[in-house]
Amino acid sequence: SQLGPILSPGSIVADCTSGDPLVTRRIASSLAQRHTLQMVDCPVSGGPSGAMSGQLTSMIGGSDAAVNAVEPYLKHIAQKWMVHVGGIGAGHAVKAVNNTLNTGHLVMAAEG
């Protein structure tokens, strides 16, 4: 509600957090309806060392047009790999799976 009014119509909001796919879809819908803004969800993976070196992976959700528009900017932080995984919310869904698998691997290593 605070971001929409200050951005130009047609702008694209890129959410790089690890978010809830359902909330992401609601936010994107609200931004589109109220402010004619687009949104992509593009969480990253790679940890602090990947962030420092720009060697992150980004799982991107959103329309083809919005994803194509933000890719030139994302490539600066996600030099390792970028993949368009589906519509809005899909990036956050894939990131949730990634986090679950990572947690499982940590638990298994601790048990080993």
Side-chain angles (χ1 to χ4, degrees), residues 86-105:
I88 191 70
H92 284 152
V94 170
K95 175 66 175 187
V97 171
N98 182 68
N99 286 350
T100 301
L101 290 170
N102 188 40
T103 301
H105 291 145

Side-chain angles (χ1 to χ4, degrees), residues 13-38:
V13 175
D15 180 358
C16 297
T17 66
S18 297
D20 179 327
L22 298 177
V23 173
T24 300
R25 289 184 193 117
R26 283 200 315 265
I27 293 170
S29 178
S30 176
L31 288 171
Q33 291 174 3
R34 293 183 184 177
H35 307 289
T36 62
L37 300 172
Q38 297 180 69

